[in-house]
Amino acid sequence: MWRRSREWGLERRRARALAAAPFPCPRWALFCCLLLFPFPCPAGPFEDAAAAYRRGDYANAMRLYQSLADGGDPRAQNSLGRMYLRGQGAGRDYRQAMKWFRRAAALGVADAQFHLGEIYLREFGVEQDLVEAARWYTRAAEQGHIGAQFTLAVLYTIGRGVSRSPLKAVYWFERAASQGNAAAQVQLGIIYGAGQGVARDSVAAYKWFALGQANARESKLRAKASQNMNRLSRGMTPAQIAEAQRQAREWQPVPARGGQS
């Protein structure tokens, strides 16, 4: 009788211990492992097409993009337009490029809108139409497309396709520069250094030259930023240079959106 009571007590203590354990049963342990190590998500058709494009398998990429584009996928339509524009996977075909860019642009794809601007500006299979180019650049720029913002700023600077406006040029250069576009940063340095459409500001000019120099990929653009910065610094006080350098160090880019082209 005493032995049964003792065994019964041991069973109760064992049951309490199991209940207090962090993983009371193998099923819970398996569930927690699944949470910690989720299964990888399978790639979709668009990702398959993009992967084929990245590895240079243009024929397969075009086939996959074509199927998706026919089904109304705006990303695939834009990608297909780029391939026709560049002659990848098939011969260069500006008419097909424009067709697919127009479809994607109508669905709000900023990169497609930018490329339509490029087509009308650079006469890719059409007569140059700067007004139409500016219209498409504006739509893309408003969505945050860096390339469109920069080109639109240039058009406002020279008054082509739009009325010349130094203020609007500065606005769009600043939008592109804030996302890290080095060419726009160097141009802002020139604008603030000379007071073109804005009050002359040597500190702001130096800051933008420094950022342009740091962010430029092309050696020619880096050299341009450096030369302008050195020339500007000759007329600045040490305190002004220190302040400009501080602003450049603390500057943070706005997250890019809408494309980088």
Side-chain angles (χ1 to χ4, degrees), residues 2-261:
W2 176 81
R3 181 178 296 173
R4 288 182 180 176
S5 177
R6 185 181 176 212
E7 291 174 351
W8 183 71
L10 288 171
E11 289 295 330
R12 288 185 63 188
R13 284 195 294 275
R14 190 177 293 118
R16 283 198 298 269
L18 286 172
F23 300 106
C25 70
R27 183 179 298 174
W28 276 102
L30 177 61
F31 176 72
C32 290
C33 286
L34 290 175
L35 288 178
L36 291 171
F37 305 104
F39 291 109
C41 295
F46 182 83
E47 288 72 23
D48 292 341
Y53 181 86
R54 286 193 297 271
R55 65 175 178 264
D57 185 0
Y58 296 139
N60 197 36
M62 176 165 274
R63 179 181 61 80
L64 293 170
Y65 280 140
Q66 184 74 59
S67 177
L68 292 167
D70 288 337
D73 187 318
R75 298 174 303 167
Q77 291 169 347
N78 181 54
S79 297
L80 193 59
R82 281 203 309 260
M83 292 189 76
Y84 276 117
L85 184 65
R86 298 168 181 172
Q88 297 169 323
R92 183 175 281 121
D93 189 329
Y94 294 135
R95 182 173 296 180
Q96 283 294 314
M98 180 173 282
K99 166 188 168 182
W100 291 111
F101 282 141
R102 281 192 178 279
R103 292 191 183 185
L107 294 172
V109 178
D111 195 58
Q113 295 165 351
F114 165 77
H115 278 100
L116 285 172
E118 291 285 279
I119 284 172
Y120 282 108
L121 176 68
R122 305 184 191 281
E123 302 177 85
F124 291 151
V126 297
E127 291 185 8
Q128 187 180 65
D129 187 335
L130 294 175
V131 172
E132 187 70 1
R135 186 173 75 86
W136 286 112
Y137 284 133
T138 300
R139 291 182 63 178
E142 288 171 347
Q143 292 199 71
H145 193 287
I146 299 174
Q149 290 170 345
F150 180 83
T151 308
L152 188 60
V154 172
L155 292 178
Y156 275 114
T157 299
I158 61 179
R160 300 294 302 277
V162 290
S163 299
R164 186 176 180 277
S165 173
L167 284 176
K168 289 184 178 179
V170 170
Y171 173 79
W172 288 114
F173 277 133
E174 287 188 333
R175 290 282 299 274
S178 71
Q179 296 186 80
N181 183 276
Q185 291 169 342
V186 173
Q187 191 60 37
L188 279 176
I190 294 171
I191 288 171
Y192 278 102
Q196 298 172 356
V198 293
R200 190 173 185 277
D201 188 335
S202 296
V203 171
Y206 190 105
K207 177 194 74 172
W208 287 119
F209 283 138
L211 289 169
Q213 182 187 43
N215 294 322
R217 296 180 182 178
E218 303 85 6
S219 58
K220 186 176 180 181
L221 185 59
R222 278 195 302 273
K224 181 179 180 181
S226 180
Q227 291 165 6
N228 277 280
M229 187 166 57
N230 291 335
R231 190 180 303 116
L232 180 70
S233 65
R234 297 188 193 114
M236 297 174 66
T237 66
Q240 287 177 316
I241 293 173
E243 173 60 19
Q245 291 172 339
R246 182 193 66 79
Q247 290 182 16
R249 284 195 306 272
E250 296 179 358
W251 178 84
Q252 293 292 327
V254 174
R257 61 188 181 88
Q260 306 282 336
S261 299

